[in-house]
Amino acid sequence: MAASDSSTGGHDGGLGAPASAVGSSGGADDGDARGVYAISVAAELVGTGQQNIRQYERKGLLTPGRTDGGTRRYSEDDLTTLRRIGALLDEGLNLAGVKLVLELEAANRGLTEDNHGLTQDNRELRADNKGLRKDLKRARAGDTGIGV
């Protein structure tokens, strides 16, 4: 079952704050990946308790950034993950199930990105192939394309 924090009476699914789109890339130069929120602020923004967030970290559901002094700092990407965790808990999943779903969603995003890249590569190869076919057709016809 979901971890509960007595100060909030449970988890409300994080509906108190606008949700970002799930699936942010989280790249190193992405502003959404920079940890800026303390745990108290993150908990308030997503509508859960601080103990819940600590529990999610212990279970490996998210890994917030840390200051040099070790203080957790949560990014917009982390808030998105926390909101997704809340939604999955509200659907009835336990933390182990939530972890699997998050891992599968991350894998799916990676495969989708790979697929888009391969689709683009395929388009480029088809264009190259079309040009090569024209060259081969001219060569077979004896037209080298070189003027004498």
Side-chain angles (χ1 to χ4, degrees):
M1 283 303 215
S4 177
D5 183 80
S6 60
S7 67
T8 63
H11 192 281
D12 73 357
L15 301 177
S20 302
V22 173
S24 178
S25 66
D29 61 347
D30 187 354
D32 289 345
R34 192 179 80 232
V36 294
Y37 302 108
I39 192 169
S40 59
V41 175
E44 186 174 337
L45 287 172
V46 300
T48 192
Q50 295 177 36
Q51 290 301 322
N52 290 343
I53 296 175
R54 289 184 188 100
Q55 177 74 2
Y56 304 155
E57 184 180 355
R58 282 192 297 274
K59 295 289 185 179
L61 302 179
L62 80 157
T63 305
R66 300 260 181 176
T67 65
D68 290 340
T71 303
R72 292 173 178 90
R73 289 289 182 225
Y74 295 87
S75 66
E76 287 295 329
D77 290 344
D78 293 329
L79 297 182
T80 298
T81 299
L82 287 167
R83 289 183 185 105
R84 184 66 178 135
I85 291 167
L88 292 169
L89 291 171
D90 288 346
E91 291 291 323
L93 274 71
N94 62 20
L95 292 179
V98 169
K99 184 174 183 178
L100 288 174
V101 168
L102 293 176
E103 289 170 351
L104 289 170
E105 287 175 343
N108 189 42
R109 281 190 302 275
L111 291 171
T112 299
E113 290 172 10
D114 289 348
N115 190 36
H116 289 303
L118 291 170
T119 299
Q120 183 59 35
D121 290 349
N122 193 22
R123 285 187 190 116
E124 292 168 6
L125 289 172
R126 284 183 184 181
D128 289 347
N129 191 20
K130 188 174 182 180
L132 290 172
R133 286 178 191 252
K134 286 181 182 178
D135 292 346
L136 180 60
K137 191 173 186 179
R138 276 196 307 260
R140 285 184 177 158
D143 179 13
T144 62
I146 301 173
V148 183

